[in-house]
Amino acid sequence: LVDAVFPVTFPAGTVIIKQGDEGENFYIVEAGEGEVHVAPKRKTAGGAPPKKVMDLRPGYSFGELSLMYNSPRAATVTATTDIRLWALDRKTFRRIV
């Protein structure tokens, strides 16, 4: 697994993954922090804003659902501080899992 991951960094305020987009990578937080937001389904939302559902800290991971189920991203993740991640691409993730 160590040979399969690659480092990526994002400055504070960057949207790392966006709900509804196709998933390309699985991420593990090495340093920094982020927030996970989920937008309500359009049919029932009535224009409601996305809801914060989780804070990300070192050791947390995200992005696996889209890769496991070949579905769009289920949430939006934004860096709240400069963040350093380890990423695993879709093909390698599917081979390992």
Side-chain angles (χ1 to χ4, degrees), residues 24-35:
E24 297 178 11
N25 296 311
F26 165 71
Y27 297 98
I28 302 166
V29 180
E30 180 183 1
E33 298 179 353
E35 291 181 345

Side-chain angles (χ1 to χ4, degrees), residues 7-9 27-32 57-60 83-86:
V8 290
T9 58
Y27 297 98
I28 302 166
V29 180
E30 180 183 1
R57 296 185 294 275
Y60 284 49
I83 194 166
R84 189 169 54 245
L85 309 168
W86 289 103

